Amino acid sequence: MNKVLANRHALSDPLLFARRFLTGWRLAAFLVSLITLIPLLVVLFSLFSPEPEIWNHLRHYVLPDLLVNTFWLALGVALGTGFLGVSLAWLTAVCEFPGRRVFAWALMLPLAIPAYVAAFVNIGLFDFTGPLQTALRLWFGSSAWFPPIRSRGGVILVMTLALYPYVYLLARNAFMTQGKRSLEVAQSLGLSRVAGFFKVALPMARPWIFSGIMLALMESLADFGTVAVFNYDTFTTAIYKAWFGLFSLASASQLASILVMMVLLLALGEQSWRGAKRYHATGKSNQSRYTLKPLLAWASCLYAGLVLALAFAVPVGQLLVWCIEVYAEDFDSRYPMFVLHSVLLSGMAALLVVIAALLLAYTLRQYTDWPTRFFARLSTLGYAIPGTVLAVGVFIPVAWLDNQLIAFLKPWFGGGAILRGTLTVMLLAYVARFLAPGFNAIDSAMQRITRSQEEAARGMGLSGWRLFMRVHLPLLRGGIFSAAMLVFVDVMKEMPITLMTRPFGWDTLSVRVFEMTSEGQWERAALPAVALVLAGLIPVILLTRQTEH
């Protein structure tokens, strides 16, 4: 009671509130949250200071097409990833068919291929001048009946094949916890197996399926490379063109503010929907599965094999063929520099994210009050925000700070940019974008450290910094390694932030892919793309091992 009264008194006195809550750890968590909060607020405030000429131009010539394109892309990706992810998850989790053990982990491999890499490989294969349509014209005299890959359907198909593993991974975990017990209960109540799936198993897995679809939706809204390859205009391409095509940072920030509003509405919708319902897992399944009838079993095998071939085997095979063709003439002294820049940027970003995530996770360990949890939640919002938006949001305040520093230091050191054109903007945007995966990995490891372990250490005289260094840090090594690997690979593949904020001469593998694909040179983009795919396989293997155990 005394504690409650003390808290109420503290809330009524701002000075006392500040003294009570602004401890060293909380202050560190607050500063970390500013890295995400400042760019978001900068972009959102631009919505409240509209410039009439810019808005008239956007409203008449830009927004209608962007809204229509974005709506169909989001709807198509949601339906496509939902269907593929749920159906494949159900088959590999609950049913027995030839090849199930292999498909169970292999169907996650498409996560290793960046969507923009899958995009240019599919265009190279299935476009009018590609090998497939060329062969069709030789065999049948015409390929006019073949559906065009450079279309709205084409970009939806490519993004669906690249993003369905998000739904598959989460839905499979949900179905595995149910096993076939839920269906047996439904059948005992008179439902057929099909009716039991739709009325019992599917609703019970709905939160996980919805989360997977939300991840796919966020990725499709944030995507830049895929839609740029297809020349399919969405908000991300429009922001990039406004900044670098029209040289209008104001137009870019206005468009970014609309996109931020859409993403925040999606995030709030997910939180609201989740908050209204409670679901409980029933524990690990006993792995008992339905053995499908022979015809259905082989049809399931064919279906899973077709998806795996289109989403992973064919793109990787084509990339390797192109690599062999261009390696001798395309690999030159620039490639070691592309690799070095990619590795250096990824390493620095991973180090900064791990430090920030450790601060957040340890602060949450010490304090569980709502202000601390609120700022921790704010810090991880950046993963849902497109890289183009974060690049704009970070650049504007850094440019303002740069101007103030130049004005202050000019009498002594002369004019010239201090922060702009350096790695500062890029690294800050990386931290804001990828703090969420780093924090989740470390926080999960932190949750596994029991209170009794801490109490035992305190009983031996350890406290404060010594407790952190000698107990927490050694036990967090696995989580820190996973966080660093996930962020390292994410930054290796990241394209829009790198394109928009890199210093002059800092080209990376993803920039090389963009330069080659923007000129239609698919074969020459294969070499850096293979390096990115190989880097992407590392977290997929980690995820697979974690899922299987």
Side-chain angles (χ1 to χ4, degrees):
M1 180 63 74
N2 290 335
K3 189 175 180 181
V4 172
L5 290 174
N7 284 338
R8 284 181 182 174
H9 180 59
L11 286 172
S12 64
D13 185 346
L15 196 58
L16 185 60
F17 179 84
R19 283 179 188 165
R20 179 180 291 272
F21 285 96
L22 285 185
T23 61
W25 287 105
R26 283 195 180 106
L27 192 60
F30 173 71
L31 291 176
V32 168
S33 71
L34 288 182
I35 299 174
T36 304
L37 193 58
I38 287 177
L40 282 181
L41 289 178
V42 166
V43 170
L44 280 175
F45 278 146
S46 70
L47 192 64
F48 301 106
S49 56
E51 297 183 25
E53 290 183 2
I54 292 176
W55 272 109
N56 283 334
H57 174 77
L58 294 178
R59 192 170 66 247
H60 287 105
Y61 302 106
V62 179
L63 280 180
D65 287 342
L66 293 186
L67 290 172
V68 170
N69 285 351
T70 303
F71 170 78
W72 285 116
L73 180 65
L75 182 65
V77 169
L79 293 176
T81 54
F83 176 77
L84 284 186
V86 172
S87 59
L88 292 169
W90 177 256
L91 286 173
T92 57
V94 181
C95 303
E96 197 63 63
F97 61 93
R100 185 198 63 79
R101 285 178 179 274
V102 175
F103 286 124
W105 60 266
L107 284 167
M108 285 196 280
L109 290 177
L111 270 181
I113 304 180
Y116 55 83
V117 170
F120 79 75
V121 171
N122 277 284
I123 286 182
L125 277 174
F126 301 117
D127 203 12
F128 183 80
T129 56
L132 181 64
Q133 290 210 50
T134 302
L136 290 175
R137 285 194 293 275
L138 286 175
W139 295 336
F140 304 106
S142 172
S143 63
W145 50 271
F146 194 82
I149 187 69
R150 292 177 187 266
S151 61
R152 178 175 291 152
V155 69
I156 289 173
L157 176 66
V158 168
M159 293 194 76
T160 297
L161 288 172
L163 300 176
Y164 84 83
Y166 287 115
V167 184
Y168 169 76
L169 183 65
L170 294 175
R172 186 165 183 269
N173 284 338
F175 289 139
M176 284 182 72
T177 60
Q178 296 176 19
K180 66 177 190 179
R181 282 174 296 183
S182 56
L183 274 188
E184 289 172 346
V185 172
Q187 285 175 299
S188 69
L189 296 173
L191 293 176
S192 66
R193 190 177 295 178
V194 175
F197 170 76
F198 284 104
K199 291 188 175 181
V200 178
L202 200 56
M204 285 177 67
R206 200 164 49 189
W208 291 269
I209 295 170
F210 189 74
S211 295
I213 292 175
M214 283 298 297
L215 279 174
L217 268 181
M218 296 286 189
E219 287 287 335
S220 62
L221 286 177
D223 178 85
F224 171 76
T226 311
V227 290
V229 168
F230 274 88
N231 202 21
Y232 184 82
D233 282 336
T234 61
F235 277 92
T236 52
T237 55
I239 293 167
Y240 181 81
K241 288 175 182 175
W243 192 352
F244 291 96
L246 303 175
F247 301 104
S248 172
L249 193 55
S251 301
S253 63
Q254 301 282 334
L255 287 169
S257 65
I258 299 174
L259 187 53
V260 167
M261 292 293 288
M262 292 168 60
V263 171
L264 289 180
L265 283 175
L266 276 176
L268 287 174
E270 185 201 16
Q271 287 293 316
S272 172
W273 188 83
R274 276 167 164 268
K277 299 174 174 63
R278 294 287 182 270
Y279 295 80
H280 300 282
T282 56
K284 201 76 174 174
S285 164
N286 58 7
Q287 304 301 321
S288 173
R289 296 183 177 85
Y290 289 112
T291 301
L292 299 177
K293 293 179 180 177
L295 186 60
L296 197 55
W298 284 108
S300 300
C301 178
L302 183 63
Y303 170 56
L306 183 63
V307 173
L308 183 62
L310 289 175
F312 184 77
V314 171
V316 170
Q318 183 59 64
L319 282 175
L320 292 175
V321 170
W322 282 339
C323 266
I324 294 169
E325 290 175 356
V326 303
Y327 178 80
E329 62 183 58
D330 203 42
F331 186 83
D332 53 31
S333 58
R334 294 169 303 165
Y335 267 88
M337 198 55 69
F338 295 150
V339 175
L340 179 64
H341 286 167
S342 299
V343 171
L344 274 177
L345 281 175
S346 304
M348 286 189 284
L351 179 64
L352 290 174
V353 167
V354 164
I355 293 171
L358 261 176
L359 280 172
L360 276 182
Y362 195 68
T363 306
L364 270 181
R365 177 79 174 187
Q366 304 300 317
Y367 308 99
T368 56
D369 49 86
W370 71 265
T372 311
R373 286 186 278 113
F374 175 71
F375 283 115
R377 175 65 180 161
L378 274 183
S379 307
T380 57
L381 274 181
Y383 199 58
I385 307 298
T388 48
V389 175
L390 287 173
V392 173
V394 171
F395 183 82
I396 291 174
V398 169
W400 175 84
L401 180 63
D402 206 29
N403 290 334
Q404 306 307 310
L405 289 173
I406 291 170
F408 180 73
L409 297 174
K410 193 172 182 180
W412 297 282
F413 302 102
I418 299 171
L419 298 175
R420 282 171 295 182
T422 67
L423 297 179
T424 307
V425 178
M426 191 163 28
L427 289 174
L428 284 174
Y430 283 151
V431 173
R433 177 89 169 88
F434 298 114
L435 186 55
F439 170 76
N440 290 337
I442 292 176
D443 189 53
S444 299
M446 188 76 82
Q447 300 299 325
R448 288 196 288 271
I449 301 174
T450 62
R451 295 290 177 185
S452 59
Q453 287 173 300
E454 285 183 357
E455 289 166 4
R458 284 197 176 93
M460 298 173 68
L462 295 178
S463 62
W465 184 248
R466 290 177 63 214
L467 177 68
F468 174 75
M469 292 299 292
R470 296 185 63 178
V471 176
H472 290 103
L473 201 56
L475 293 172
L476 289 174
R477 276 183 302 191
I480 291 173
F481 176 76
S482 297
M485 289 303 302
L486 287 171
V487 176
F488 185 91
V489 175
D490 270 344
V491 175
M492 284 274 285
K493 295 188 292 185
E494 206 287 332
M495 183 181 281
I497 291 176
T498 313
L499 274 175
M500 296 171 75
T501 60
R502 73 188 192 280
F504 180 75
W506 268 81
D507 291 341
T508 63
L509 290 169
S510 62
V511 172
R512 179 67 175 172
V513 170
F514 177 77
E515 288 174 347
M516 292 298 99
T517 53
S518 61
E519 296 173 7
Q521 299 186 48
W522 318 125
E523 295 87 350
R524 298 185 65 190
L527 203 53
V530 166
L532 291 175
V533 172
L534 290 176
L537 280 174
I538 296 170
V540 174
I541 293 169
L542 289 173
L543 275 173
T544 305
R545 292 182 61 182
Q546 188 177 359
T547 304
E548 292 302 318
H549 292 87

